[in-house]
Amino acid sequence: MFKIPDRVADLFGDNAIRVEFQQALLAAGQVQGHEMKYLEDGPFSEVARITHTRLHGVDLQAIPEGQRSLVAGVRGLSRRLITSGYAIHEAAKAGDRAQDDWNELLTFTRRKCEFSAQIADNLGWERCYTYILDRAEAALGSDRSDEDRDAGYAVLRHFASFYRADAGFQSSRFLQVPEAS
């Protein structure tokens, strides 16, 4: 089993996201009261993993209508936080570094993600990609460390790789990562 690198917590960890995870798990009836403390204080990467595992098979139609979007968004976000960790790990293992074309890659990826969010079966995708891409963009700022920049670039490559068959995708940007189980 793969472990989520701590870089995910560094780049994406956020108390507001922890609260969203808790709310979604409660709405889906997938958390016990005694687990709330761990969801509040446990390692962010493990909280994302627990959230993904618990929400993975949840039938969204069984969730109250007012909570569906929250649960779908958190389900997608927790899954892609895990795979973003894998992307960061794979890129680091290969010695891949952030490139100067990151803004072009970000534009391509956002455009493709925006289109995918409009597909009926992609409830929650917009919440997922906007949060992760915004954080990846911030990690690529000139004031950030090389390690942050490399990680942000790896995440952009990961998301762009979902659209590897589309016009405009450069095969050199492809990043193969395992799927979250």
Side-chain angles (χ1 to χ4, degrees):
M1 177 60 68
F2 293 94
K3 296 274 187 215
I4 301 173
D6 291 337
R7 300 296 302 139
V8 170
D10 295 342
L11 297 177
F12 302 109
D14 181 302
N15 282 333
I17 295 301
R18 284 179 183 269
V19 170
E20 280 187 50
F21 285 178
Q22 293 167 7
Q23 291 171 339
L25 288 166
L26 286 169
Q30 294 295 315
V31 68
Q32 302 294 320
H34 68 278
E35 296 172 316
M36 291 301 284
K37 183 73 174 149
Y38 187 78
L39 293 172
E40 292 170 6
D41 300 332
F44 183 79
S45 297
E46 284 305 309
V47 171
R49 182 172 298 287
I50 289 166
T51 302
H52 167 69
T53 300
R54 297 278 178 84
L55 295 179
H56 179 68
V58 169
D59 176 11
L60 290 176
Q61 297 307 312
I63 305 296
E65 189 173 340
Q67 298 292 312
R68 272 186 212 145
S69 181
L70 169 69
V71 172
V74 165
R75 181 168 66 182
L77 179 59
S78 62
R79 178 180 182 186
R80 290 303 162 212
L81 286 171
I82 293 167
T83 60
S84 291
Y86 296 159
I88 293 166
H89 176 74
E90 290 298 321
K93 189 168 68 173
D96 294 344
R97 306 298 310 258
Q99 303 296 311
D100 291 334
D101 69 345
W102 69 266
N103 202 15
E104 176 186 321
L105 179 58
L106 176 65
T107 300
F108 171 83
T109 306
R110 275 198 198 280
R111 188 170 21 98
K112 294 299 182 175
C113 287
E114 286 170 3
F115 178 77
S116 292
Q118 297 172 16
I119 298 171
D121 288 343
N122 279 349
L123 182 64
W125 177 240
E126 182 174 9
R127 174 68 181 111
C128 168
Y129 86 79
T130 54
Y131 181 78
I132 292 176
L133 293 183
D134 286 352
R135 291 293 183 107
E137 180 180 18
L140 283 157
S142 60
D143 60 330
R144 300 294 289 267
S145 70
D146 286 346
E147 187 178 41
D148 283 356
R149 292 176 53 75
D150 294 345
Y153 193 77
V155 170
L156 290 183
R157 287 179 57 207
H158 169 50
F159 271 69
S161 293
F162 296 143
Y163 307 100
R164 62 186 170 270
D166 291 6
F169 181 79
Q170 296 175 17
S171 60
S172 62
R173 293 177 173 161
F174 178 71
L175 184 60
Q176 179 72 41
V177 298
E179 190 53 66
S181 54

